Amino acid sequence: MTGVSRRGLLQAALAAAPVLSQINQAQAAGSDHVTIGWPSDVPSWDPDQRFAPDAQGIFKMVFDQPLDQSPTLQLVPHLITKWQLAPDGRSLAVTLRDDVTFHNGDKMTSADFRYTFFERIKADPKLDIGRSWRKVTDIETPSPTTAIMRFSSPAPTAPVWLAFLGSFVVPKTYLEHVGADGFRAKPVGTGPYKLAEYEMNARIVLERNDAYWGPKPALKRVTIEIIKDPSARVAAIQSGQIDLTISVPVREVTRLKAMPNLAGELNPITRVILLQIRNDEGFSDQNVRLAAHHAIDKAALSKAFYGGAAVPLSVPATPGTPGYLADFKFPYDPAQAKALLAKSGYSLAKPKKIRMATTNGQFPSDYDIARAIVAMWKKVGLDAELEVIEYAKYFELNRGDKLPEATLYSFDNATGDPEIYTGYLLNPQLPFSPWKDKVFGAKVIAMFNVADEKARIAGWRKLNREAVEIGASIPLLQSVQTLVRKKSLAYTRYGNGWVLGQTMKWS
Amino acid sequence: MRRWWHSARVLVGLGLAIAVLICGVLAPLIAPHDPNAQDLLATLQPAAWQAGGDSTHLLGTDSLGRDVLARLIYGARVAITVALAASFGAMVIGSALAYLAGYFGGRVDWLIGRAVDVWMSFPPVVLSLILMTGLGVGERNVIFAIILVDWTRFCRVLRSEVLVVRRRDYVAAARLVGFSHWQTLTREIVPATIPLLVTLLTLEMGIAIVVEAILSFVGLGVSPDQIAWGQMIADGREAIYQAPWTLLAPVLAIFLAVAGFNMLGDGLRRSLDVRMVEGRE
Amino acid sequence: MRLLASLTRRLLVAVPILLVVSALLFTALRVLPVDPAAMSMPPNATRAEIEQARIQMGLNKPLPVQYAIWLGRAAHGDFGQSIHLRRDALRLVAETLPATIELTGAAMLVAGILGVAGGLLLFALRDRKAELVAETATTVLMSVPEFIWALLFIFIFGVLLPVLPFTGRLAPSLDRPVVTGFLLLDAVLVGRMDVLMSALAHMVLPALALGLAFSTPVMRVLRASLLDVYHEDYIRQARLRGLSETRILLRHALKNAFLPTLTLLGVQFGFLFGGSLLIEVIYSYPGMGNLMVDAVRNADLPVIQLVGLTYCVVVLFINSVVDGLYQVLNPRLRAR
């Protein structure tokens, strides 16, 4: 099978142990390599194809987005140096850099921009990026460095979307030449790193792009080890096999942080953990929905599963983003919950029966949180039957109207824009919302067309409060990104949890 | 000495099996706590003898602050239910087909033989995974999946035994004195294969416990509100550094239960003088 | 030559089995409560777009027709695209199968070595008091399923005494040479000792966990067959000729007792190959097992179908080879 003689094999096995201890210390300070332990692989190497929040950071090393976000989430120029949204929100004029080349040497121009956000989307309906740019009716390219996007209805969040999820500029000429399959096998971007090696579900090796138009990364080589199992990530960082990892159990961060060479962080990010709610079946009664909300002790959840670092939320938006309401609190009040249930004729002796769904392992402690909520509900007279679903089936279930009354869900919104929180979570026309009530739904849909920025933000803030008050949303916690790294490895912390190789360096 | 040792082993095996059974049946009486009572302020408490341990939670608490010992005891319920139901089910289907094949031979035998071939070409873990994907989680489906996967174990071994028994003189004699096929099967052949069946059944119980644990471990086993050792392992693995006891306790429980059934089956095999092909899951 | 002929005959027998298996798999997967058309589209696709995808994928046709189409395409090596990853399913399997074969091969080696050594030890201890202890020990060892070994090994050798790696296939700092996809072979082919060492180190724990769990039956069968063989005449004759016990054991007894052991190893391979699935998941080992679990999680029907089928093909192939070897090696069967 291997062409190695048995004796050779045995000798090799015996010799392996000392070799290994050298490998463990390979990443010493001053090195120009870094090894990251990441919980998930990229869906494919076409960044526009399938959106996955955890992959955006990886794609950002190989590809560039038209606009970027600063560590504090402000929109900043990137491939686009200037952008101007028309007052009616129906067009966006942009100016592109003229010094950007793809990894294969081709120059990036407005033709690539038009191809990415218009031509390609219209040609292939299976691309996720097409869904976020439905409104695009055309992109005019007056010159290689300028472009005007035209929309069928006001698109106030278009600039935000140019820095979000899968909005990465791909090379038109190359893609048309090699085809989609060829592109996925040998991706070409404009980013600070090039893909050097890829073994699916195992490792991604990136080499510095020395011709990068922007600031040159300090590290020459970034290796991303895909380690799906949290305890394996813990072991790998503890034994020194990797230099940085995320999504380890909170308790492990506390323990690892005490080790002399490791630093541990609990970083609140722009991800909300909430219950997605139905407006019918067992939850058709507002009293029951509000009782379900009052019964949840969010502070206890945060303390038990996130070391108290996860901020309890009363609206579906995180602190520091425009949609967050600092002065609105939905209290934990089991007595009130019981009273509301009593009003509708339910009690501990005669509990209200509902169903609840959760993922297991989609985000840290999801399953534990769900089981804790079920226990909290039980104490006030809500009897929930828990089922575990795969994240991939959420949309499928929702489309078939088969989601239960409550589903534990985590929603990532790296931009922090309120439309991408409430607007997506509660729009009955989008696949995220099991809340199908027409009256509230109409208010949400109307907000998508408000072009004036001030009115827009004010409108979303009002809706955020209303959604919680009528029991259409049960926000729980602001998610916390756990991160453990070698103390000597510095990186830039982003408010949305991006961990980018180009910001790292050894001290 | 040898005899004594063997019977001692059977006794130990029997003892372990009965212990699991008792835990399962009497769980509400023995368990020190409500196995579902959560205490979010006291999660992952160490075991009583470890530093910071508390004698109210002998084996500490899990990630939701539930008593590990109580869950261990209640976990025996699912384990023993699945073990009994699945192994009996697999035995009924597998042996029925084996009697048919072995007794009638010819086309019946060929057909059943090919069905076994098709089944055996699937690694059991892969087949049960696919079945559970289709059936969905739940105790009844776990039992169903194990039966659907493991009936071949009985069928394969028993068929060759029936072939041997059928050729014996007294079977031919039974036919000659006018026994019907049914009578011959039930009065002559089945009794002759009972020792083999009992042995296989005991071993299958151990296998069923392991399969249930594996399925629950990957999240395709019993439903989330049931207490199962495999689920406890999955929960405990998250805390392998912090509270290794939450992982090691169910591991030990599975080990003891399976060892019990294996020792019992092995002892029976010897004392009933059964010859069989060895193999394991 | 005999081996080849017998092998060919057995492989031909395997073809109808595979057809039945594929039809069963196909039917089983189509009754799952998931809609492959909807899953192949972005989450916020419209119903009309999904219907169009359904027609494109041929899902509106009756099941037997769908199967015939699938079979026709499969005959040309087209097993469809992964719904989740949008990649050719066959390539996904081709990329992950070598890792699984390597792991199973290594585990088989472990099971073989430990099994033979243990069997000889058990045999050497026959009729002594220690035998009872040793036998009980094997019963107890047999009670530990591979996934329990895997977790214990991570705990002992990865956490308590961190001496061996337990994630992936290769140390992160090393380049992976790609020639055949078999990492060990590739490392030798390109002459990279560091890669070979690292790959072997990564293989120790998973192979040990998997192999250990499957070594106990080997021990027992070898012991039992040795006991059988020692009742045969030629052993007595050899003794009369004055051959030493070691010589008798190695030259005569072992040779004959090896056949049942070989058969058992063949049977075991199927179980072991399936068992690798869990081991791969626990050790984040990038093989077919991980591909399968991912596919099951995402209801990726084409991949589940092909991976399931691949497991069958490998098992059938190995069984045929073992059967063939058995026939060729067994003097009694050969005489007939």
PDB file of all heavy atoms in Angstrom, chain A residues 286-310:
ATOM      1  N   GLN A 286     -50.604  36.277  22.051  1.00  0.00           N
ATOM      2  CA  GLN A 286     -49.516  37.187  22.444  1.00  0.00           C
ATOM      3  C   GLN A 286     -49.105  36.983  23.900  1.00  0.00           C
ATOM      4  O   GLN A 286     -47.933  37.105  24.244  1.00  0.00           O
ATOM      5  CB  GLN A 286     -49.940  38.637  22.192  1.00  0.00           C
ATOM      6  CG  GLN A 286     -48.830  39.620  22.530  1.00  0.00           C
ATOM      7  CD  GLN A 286     -49.134  41.020  22.033  1.00  0.00           C
ATOM      8  OE1 GLN A 286     -49.598  41.205  20.913  1.00  0.00           O
ATOM      9  NE2 GLN A 286     -48.887  42.011  22.869  1.00  0.00           N
ATOM     10  N   ASN A 287     -50.080  36.676  24.775  1.00  0.00           N
ATOM     11  CA  ASN A 287     -49.755  36.433  26.188  1.00  0.00           C
ATOM     12  C   ASN A 287     -48.725  35.315  26.329  1.00  0.00           C
ATOM     13  O   ASN A 287     -47.793  35.403  27.125  1.00  0.00           O
ATOM     14  CB  ASN A 287     -51.019  36.032  26.965  1.00  0.00           C
ATOM     15  CG  ASN A 287     -51.926  37.220  27.190  1.00  0.00           C
ATOM     16  OD1 ASN A 287     -51.475  38.366  27.141  1.00  0.00           O
ATOM     17  ND2 ASN A 287     -53.211  36.949  27.410  1.00  0.00           N
ATOM     18  N   VAL A 288     -48.931  34.259  25.551  1.00  0.00           N
ATOM     19  CA  VAL A 288     -48.028  33.108  25.638  1.00  0.00           C
ATOM     20  C   VAL A 288     -46.629  33.503  25.162  1.00  0.00           C
ATOM     21  O   VAL A 288     -45.627  33.176  25.786  1.00  0.00           O
ATOM     22  CB  VAL A 288     -48.574  31.928  24.808  1.00  0.00           C
ATOM     23  CG1 VAL A 288     -47.594  30.760  24.827  1.00  0.00           C
ATOM     24  CG2 VAL A 288     -49.936  31.490  25.317  1.00  0.00           C
ATOM     25  N   ARG A 289     -46.574  34.261  24.069  1.00  0.00           N
ATOM     26  CA  ARG A 289     -45.262  34.673  23.535  1.00  0.00           C
ATOM     27  C   ARG A 289     -44.515  35.546  24.534  1.00  0.00           C
ATOM     28  O   ARG A 289     -43.329  35.363  24.788  1.00  0.00           O
ATOM     29  CB  ARG A 289     -45.454  35.435  22.212  1.00  0.00           C
ATOM     30  CG  ARG A 289     -46.087  34.619  21.109  1.00  0.00           C
ATOM     31  CD  ARG A 289     -45.891  35.296  19.759  1.00  0.00           C
ATOM     32  NE  ARG A 289     -46.469  36.628  19.685  1.00  0.00           N
ATOM     33  CZ  ARG A 289     -47.684  36.901  19.210  1.00  0.00           C
ATOM     34  NH1 ARG A 289     -48.454  35.918  18.784  1.00  0.00           N
ATOM     35  NH2 ARG A 289     -48.120  38.144  19.154  1.00  0.00           N
ATOM     36  N   LEU A 290     -45.240  36.506  25.097  1.00  0.00           N
ATOM     37  CA  LEU A 290     -44.585  37.402  26.055  1.00  0.00           C
ATOM     38  C   LEU A 290     -44.199  36.650  27.328  1.00  0.00           C
ATOM     39  O   LEU A 290     -43.151  36.909  27.920  1.00  0.00           O
ATOM     40  CB  LEU A 290     -45.499  38.584  26.387  1.00  0.00           C
ATOM     41  CG  LEU A 290     -45.724  39.540  25.203  1.00  0.00           C
ATOM     42  CD1 LEU A 290     -46.687  40.651  25.586  1.00  0.00           C
ATOM     43  CD2 LEU A 290     -44.406  40.141  24.733  1.00  0.00           C
ATOM     44  N   ALA A 291     -45.038  35.690  27.731  1.00  0.00           N
ATOM     45  CA  ALA A 291     -44.703  34.874  28.904  1.00  0.00           C
ATOM     46  C   ALA A 291     -43.412  34.099  28.632  1.00  0.00           C
ATOM     47  O   ALA A 291     -42.524  34.019  29.481  1.00  0.00           O
ATOM     48  CB  ALA A 291     -45.839  33.913  29.221  1.00  0.00           C
ATOM     49  N   ALA A 292     -43.315  33.561  27.417  1.00  0.00           N
ATOM     50  CA  ALA A 292     -42.105  32.816  27.049  1.00  0.00           C
ATOM     51  C   ALA A 292     -40.881  33.710  27.157  1.00  0.00           C
ATOM     52  O   ALA A 292     -39.803  33.285  27.569  1.00  0.00           O
ATOM     53  CB  ALA A 292     -42.250  32.272  25.626  1.00  0.00           C
ATOM     54  N   HIS A 293     -41.056  34.985  26.800  1.00  0.00           N
ATOM     55  CA  HIS A 293     -39.930  35.919  26.857  1.00  0.00           C
ATOM     56  C   HIS A 293     -39.584  36.280  28.310  1.00  0.00           C
ATOM     57  O   HIS A 293     -38.437  36.245  28.714  1.00  0.00           O
ATOM     58  CB  HIS A 293     -40.280  37.174  26.053  1.00  0.00           C
ATOM     59  CG  HIS A 293     -39.076  38.010  25.714  1.00  0.00           C
ATOM     60  ND1 HIS A 293     -39.101  39.011  24.787  1.00  0.00           N
ATOM     61  CD2 HIS A 293     -37.803  37.983  26.175  1.00  0.00           C
ATOM     62  CE1 HIS A 293     -37.902  39.578  24.708  1.00  0.00           C
ATOM     63  NE2 HIS A 293     -37.100  38.969  25.537  1.00  0.00           N
ATOM     64  N   HIS A 294     -40.626  36.586  29.088  1.00  0.00           N
ATOM     65  CA  HIS A 294     -40.381  36.964  30.490  1.00  0.00           C
ATOM     66  C   HIS A 294     -39.747  35.836  31.293  1.00  0.00           C
ATOM     67  O   HIS A 294     -39.089  36.071  32.296  1.00  0.00           O
ATOM     68  CB  HIS A 294     -41.709  37.359  31.172  1.00  0.00           C
ATOM     69  CG  HIS A 294     -42.132  38.773  30.882  1.00  0.00           C
ATOM     70  ND1 HIS A 294     -41.360  39.867  31.194  1.00  0.00           N
ATOM     71  CD2 HIS A 294     -43.248  39.277  30.280  1.00  0.00           C
ATOM     72  CE1 HIS A 294     -41.969  40.978  30.826  1.00  0.00           C
ATOM     73  NE2 HIS A 294     -43.132  40.656  30.250  1.00  0.00           N
ATOM     74  N   ALA A 295     -39.973  34.604  30.882  1.00  0.00           N
ATOM     75  CA  ALA A 295     -39.519  33.461  31.676  1.00  0.00           C
ATOM     76  C   ALA A 295     -38.029  33.179  31.520  1.00  0.00           C
ATOM     77  O   ALA A 295     -37.471  32.391  32.271  1.00  0.00           O
ATOM     78  CB  ALA A 295     -40.326  32.220  31.301  1.00  0.00           C
ATOM     79  N   ILE A 296     -37.398  33.803  30.516  1.00  0.00           N
ATOM     80  CA  ILE A 296     -35.988  33.472  30.243  1.00  0.00           C
ATOM     81  C   ILE A 296     -35.046  34.394  31.013  1.00  0.00           C
ATOM     82  O   ILE A 296     -35.083  35.619  30.854  1.00  0.00           O
ATOM     83  CB  ILE A 296     -35.705  33.560  28.730  1.00  0.00           C
ATOM     84  CG1 ILE A 296     -36.576  32.558  27.984  1.00  0.00           C
ATOM     85  CG2 ILE A 296     -34.233  33.289  28.460  1.00  0.00           C
ATOM     86  CD1 ILE A 296     -36.498  32.697  26.482  1.00  0.00           C
ATOM     87  N   ASP A 297     -34.208  33.772  31.832  1.00  0.00           N
ATOM     88  CA  ASP A 297     -33.212  34.522  32.591  1.00  0.00           C
ATOM     89  C   ASP A 297     -31.946  34.629  31.747  1.00  0.00           C
ATOM     90  O   ASP A 297     -31.083  33.758  31.784  1.00  0.00           O
ATOM     91  CB  ASP A 297     -32.945  33.788  33.914  1.00  0.00           C
ATOM     92  CG  ASP A 297     -31.992  34.565  34.813  1.00  0.00           C
ATOM     93  OD1 ASP A 297     -31.467  35.604  34.358  1.00  0.00           O
ATOM     94  OD2 ASP A 297     -31.794  34.129  35.955  1.00  0.00           O
ATOM     95  N   LYS A 298     -31.864  35.718  30.950  1.00  0.00           N
ATOM     96  CA  LYS A 298     -30.744  35.839  30.015  1.00  0.00           C
ATOM     97  C   LYS A 298     -29.409  36.008  30.729  1.00  0.00           C
ATOM     98  O   LYS A 298     -28.380  35.531  30.251  1.00  0.00           O
ATOM     99  CB  LYS A 298     -30.991  37.021  29.083  1.00  0.00           C
ATOM    100  CG  LYS A 298     -32.247  36.839  28.228  1.00  0.00           C
ATOM    101  CD  LYS A 298     -32.644  38.129  27.522  1.00  0.00           C
ATOM    102  CE  LYS A 298     -34.025  37.991  26.912  1.00  0.00           C
ATOM    103  NZ  LYS A 298     -34.525  39.266  26.376  1.00  0.00           N
ATOM    104  N   ALA A 299     -29.445  36.699  31.874  1.00  0.00           N
ATOM    105  CA  ALA A 299     -28.189  36.901  32.611  1.00  0.00           C
ATOM    106  C   ALA A 299     -27.625  35.562  33.076  1.00  0.00           C
ATOM    107  O   ALA A 299     -26.411  35.331  33.021  1.00  0.00           O
ATOM    108  CB  ALA A 299     -28.436  37.821  33.807  1.00  0.00           C
ATOM    109  N   ALA A 300     -28.533  34.666  33.483  1.00  0.00           N
ATOM    110  CA  ALA A 300     -28.069  33.346  33.928  1.00  0.00           C
ATOM    111  C   ALA A 300     -27.479  32.563  32.760  1.00  0.00           C
ATOM    112  O   ALA A 300     -26.463  31.870  32.905  1.00  0.00           O
ATOM    113  CB  ALA A 300     -29.217  32.566  34.555  1.00  0.00           C
ATOM    114  N   LEU A 301     -28.117  32.682  31.580  1.00  0.00           N
ATOM    115  CA  LEU A 301     -27.577  32.001  30.394  1.00  0.00           C
ATOM    116  C   LEU A 301     -26.179  32.518  30.093  1.00  0.00           C
ATOM    117  O   LEU A 301     -25.252  31.749  29.831  1.00  0.00           O
ATOM    118  CB  LEU A 301     -28.480  32.253  29.177  1.00  0.00           C
ATOM    119  CG  LEU A 301     -29.886  31.660  29.185  1.00  0.00           C
ATOM    120  CD1 LEU A 301     -30.621  32.032  27.905  1.00  0.00           C
ATOM    121  CD2 LEU A 301     -29.825  30.145  29.334  1.00  0.00           C
ATOM    122  N   SER A 302     -26.037  33.840  30.143  1.00  0.00           N
ATOM    123  CA  SER A 302     -24.741  34.441  29.840  1.00  0.00           C
ATOM    124  C   SER A 302     -23.687  33.969  30.832  1.00  0.00           C
ATOM    125  O   SER A 302     -22.568  33.638  30.452  1.00  0.00           O
ATOM    126  CB  SER A 302     -24.870  35.961  29.879  1.00  0.00           C
ATOM    127  OG  SER A 302     -23.605  36.555  29.781  1.00  0.00           O
ATOM    128  N   LYS A 303     -24.084  33.914  32.106  1.00  0.00           N
ATOM    129  CA  LYS A 303     -23.130  33.532  33.132  1.00  0.00           C
ATOM    130  C   LYS A 303     -22.725  32.058  32.989  1.00  0.00           C
ATOM    131  O   LYS A 303     -21.558  31.702  33.067  1.00  0.00           O
ATOM    132  CB  LYS A 303     -23.759  33.765  34.508  1.00  0.00           C
ATOM    133  CG  LYS A 303     -22.763  33.680  35.630  1.00  0.00           C
ATOM    134  CD  LYS A 303     -23.309  34.359  36.878  1.00  0.00           C
ATOM    135  CE  LYS A 303     -22.313  34.352  38.013  1.00  0.00           C
ATOM    136  NZ  LYS A 303     -21.408  33.229  38.035  1.00  0.00           N
ATOM    137  N   ALA A 304     -23.713  31.200  32.736  1.00  0.00           N
ATOM    138  CA  ALA A 304     -23.428  29.772  32.688  1.00  0.00           C
ATOM    139  C   ALA A 304     -22.652  29.374  31.443  1.00  0.00           C
ATOM    140  O   ALA A 304     -21.804  28.493  31.498  1.00  0.00           O
ATOM    141  CB  ALA A 304     -24.730  28.983  32.762  1.00  0.00           C
ATOM    142  N   PHE A 305     -22.944  30.016  30.308  1.00  0.00           N
ATOM    143  CA  PHE A 305     -22.359  29.515  29.054  1.00  0.00           C
ATOM    144  C   PHE A 305     -21.356  30.468  28.413  1.00  0.00           C
ATOM    145  O   PHE A 305     -20.604  30.082  27.538  1.00  0.00           O
ATOM    146  CB  PHE A 305     -23.470  29.191  28.063  1.00  0.00           C
ATOM    147  CG  PHE A 305     -24.506  28.257  28.635  1.00  0.00           C
ATOM    148  CD1 PHE A 305     -25.833  28.629  28.750  1.00  0.00           C
ATOM    149  CD2 PHE A 305     -24.120  27.005  29.112  1.00  0.00           C
ATOM    150  CE1 PHE A 305     -26.769  27.780  29.297  1.00  0.00           C
ATOM    151  CE2 PHE A 305     -25.052  26.147  29.664  1.00  0.00           C
ATOM    152  CZ  PHE A 305     -26.376  26.532  29.761  1.00  0.00           C
ATOM    153  N   TYR A 306     -21.367  31.725  28.802  1.00  0.00           N
ATOM    154  CA  TYR A 306     -20.425  32.668  28.202  1.00  0.00           C
ATOM    155  C   TYR A 306     -19.640  33.429  29.256  1.00  0.00           C
ATOM    156  O   TYR A 306     -19.172  34.536  29.003  1.00  0.00           O
ATOM    157  CB  TYR A 306     -21.163  33.642  27.275  1.00  0.00           C
ATOM    158  CG  TYR A 306     -21.783  32.966  26.069  1.00  0.00           C
ATOM    159  CD1 TYR A 306     -23.129  32.668  26.022  1.00  0.00           C
ATOM    160  CD2 TYR A 306     -20.987  32.609  24.981  1.00  0.00           C
ATOM    161  CE1 TYR A 306     -23.684  32.028  24.921  1.00  0.00           C
ATOM    162  CE2 TYR A 306     -21.527  31.971  23.883  1.00  0.00           C
ATOM    163  CZ  TYR A 306     -22.875  31.682  23.855  1.00  0.00           C
ATOM    164  OH  TYR A 306     -23.410  31.039  22.775  1.00  0.00           O
ATOM    165  N   GLY A 307     -19.516  32.828  30.445  1.00  0.00           N
ATOM    166  CA  GLY A 307     -18.733  33.463  31.500  1.00  0.00           C
ATOM    167  C   GLY A 307     -19.226  34.864  31.831  1.00  0.00           C
ATOM    168  O   GLY A 307     -18.475  35.696  32.329  1.00  0.00           O
ATOM    169  N   GLY A 308     -20.484  35.170  31.538  1.00  0.00           N
ATOM    170  CA  GLY A 308     -21.039  36.491  31.816  1.00  0.00           C
ATOM    171  C   GLY A 308     -20.657  37.538  30.785  1.00  0.00           C
ATOM    172  O   GLY A 308     -21.039  38.699  30.890  1.00  0.00           O
ATOM    173  N   ALA A 309     -19.888  37.137  29.751  1.00  0.00           N
ATOM    174  CA  ALA A 309     -19.393  38.117  28.787  1.00  0.00           C
ATOM    175  C   ALA A 309     -20.426  38.454  27.713  1.00  0.00           C
ATOM    176  O   ALA A 309     -20.308  39.475  27.034  1.00  0.00           O
ATOM    177  CB  ALA A 309     -18.122  37.596  28.118  1.00  0.00           C
ATOM    178  N   ALA A 310     -21.435  37.620  27.529  1.00  0.00           N
ATOM    179  CA  ALA A 310     -22.434  37.893  26.501  1.00  0.00           C
ATOM    180  C   ALA A 310     -23.480  38.853  27.056  1.00  0.00           C
ATOM    181  O   ALA A 310     -24.082  38.604  28.091  1.00  0.00           O
ATOM    182  CB  ALA A 310     -23.094  36.597  26.048  1.00  0.00           C
TER     183      ALA A 310
END
